[in-house]
Amino acid sequence: MGWVTAGDYEVALDDGKVVCRNKAGRRLKAVPAKLRNDPAVVGLRQLVEWLDRHERRCLDDVERWMVRSLAVPRALVEQVWPDPAWQAVLRDLVVTGADGEVAGFLRDAEPGRGLGLVDLDGDTVRISPEMVRIPHPVLLDELDDLREFAVELGVEQRAQQLFREVWHRPAALDAERTGVSDYSGGTYKELRFLAARATQLGYRVRGGHAVCPVLEDGRSIEARVWIGDYESYFETETGSLEWSGPDGRTLPLGQVGPVAWSEGMRMAAALYAGRHIENEEQAA
């Protein structure tokens, strides 16, 4: 932690916060009000804001790679690894090699040496595939075993992967149906509350729907839940969940892939969970 002069004091960053000490070196409980507009204090606060945005961007990018099943060049992972923000998000994610088989938990990346992993036997290994994938958890056949192993290793993933909620499409589902109503009927006192929840959860709101785009097997699919398109102060409720293809047409459920299904159901469940509840019976 490096200290910078600010008037008769010194300031620095500590765990993402601006801290201050006097000339005697005694750390103060708070930054004095008279330093609020000091260039050193303003600069540190701007740096904190930038770091927060950078960390959020790193997390968003990695989750996008996972949700969209995107292959990532190994060289890219090696280049960004020294950055603490990138490393915090990438560390301990389950990755697969070129064959699609689970290779292990990512622990290191170094140009010329490849990726360092803890494999499923608990051994430290290195691999150097040209491309790597961060698989969506719904695609992991032994997800429960991986979760148990992760707990044994003390794994804490910044990006939700192993402990992300997943939904599997029922085997007995009518493949020609076009909607799922499991999470319909969640009442909100005002439309703006539902729209705000969707936005806060990271979903887009467009044309009366909360939408979640997914790229699966090279095909763009959009999960969407009806939330209403009338006055924002009117009462509304969550509608059915549907999926549409690249042309905007609603897809039969039989054409919805496992990742799109899971992410759509995850969105619908999260929107329904924020509904207005008047009594315990509704909560159940």
Side-chain angles (χ1 to χ4, degrees):
M1 179 172 61
W3 293 94
V4 181
T5 300
D8 295 330
Y9 302 85
E10 289 183 321
V11 292
L13 286 183
D14 185 16
D15 194 25
K17 295 181 180 180
V18 180
V19 294
C20 182
R21 70 183 183 185
N22 60 20
K23 285 185 176 181
R26 183 174 64 86
R27 186 159 162 175
L28 307 182
K29 292 183 178 179
V31 177
K34 63 181 179 180
L35 295 181
R36 180 178 303 170
N37 296 320
D38 186 275
V41 175
V42 172
L44 288 177
R45 286 177 174 156
Q46 289 176 339
L47 177 58
V48 170
E49 293 173 359
W50 183 88
L51 289 172
D52 287 343
R53 290 195 302 270
H54 177 56
E55 290 175 1
R56 182 70 245 178
R57 177 65 182 273
C58 293
L59 181 59
D60 288 345
D61 283 350
V62 171
E63 288 191 340
R64 188 177 302 111
W65 297 345
M66 178 181 68
V67 171
R68 298 189 177 187
S69 304
L70 298 177
V72 182
R74 183 198 74 250
L76 173 61
V77 177
E78 294 171 348
Q79 289 173 8
V80 302
W81 187 263
D83 183 331
W86 276 106
Q87 188 174 141
V89 175
L90 290 167
R91 184 176 176 81
D92 283 329
L93 290 177
V94 173
V95 299
T96 66
D99 58 2
E101 294 295 321
V102 171
F105 295 87
L106 183 60
R107 288 290 174 88
D108 181 43
E110 185 178 340
R113 298 190 64 203
L115 307 181
L117 312 173
V118 173
D119 68 14
L120 302 188
D121 294 321
D123 298 325
T124 300
V125 299
R126 301 199 80 89
I127 62 172
S128 297
E130 289 299 314
M131 308 293 287
V132 294
R133 291 182 185 275
I134 301 167
H136 189 284
V138 79
L139 302 177
L140 296 171
D141 293 333
E142 300 178 352
L143 180 58
D144 289 339
D145 292 339
L146 285 169
R147 285 172 171 170
E148 184 176 341
F149 189 33
V151 172
E152 293 176 5
L153 291 175
V155 164
E156 294 183 6
Q157 296 180 329
R158 286 283 308 281
Q160 291 188 16
Q161 186 192 34
L162 288 185
F163 299 100
R164 190 183 192 88
E165 290 181 290
V166 297
W167 281 260
H168 296 276
R169 189 176 61 190
L173 186 74
D174 180 356
E176 297 305 314
R177 280 177 50 197
T178 57
V180 176
S181 58
D182 296 35
Y183 298 106
S184 299
T187 301
Y188 281 74
K189 287 295 185 180
E190 297 179 17
L191 170 59
R192 62 192 179 102
F193 297 155
L194 178 49
R197 179 169 176 81
T199 302
Q200 290 167 359
L201 290 170
Y203 300 114
R204 304 172 190 170
V205 175
R206 187 180 68 246
H209 293 89
V211 300
C212 173
V214 176
L215 183 66
E216 187 167 9
D217 294 330
R219 183 177 64 154
S220 296
I221 295 179
E222 188 175 81
R224 57 192 185 191
V225 172
W226 176 256
I227 65 171
D229 63 351
Y230 31 85
E231 289 293 334
S232 62
Y233 293 95
F234 286 10
E235 183 176 291
T236 191
E237 62 180 35
T238 55
S240 63
L241 167 65
E242 298 178 344
W243 289 263
S244 60
D247 59 1
R249 295 182 180 180
T250 302
L251 295 173
L253 299 184
Q255 296 182 23
V256 178
V259 175
W261 179 275
S262 185
E263 288 300 306
M265 292 293 285
R266 181 173 181 265
M267 174 177 66
L271 295 177
Y272 184 78
R275 69 196 184 280
H276 177 72
I277 299 175
E278 294 183 351
N279 52 54
E280 295 183 1
E281 183 177 341
Q282 280 186 315

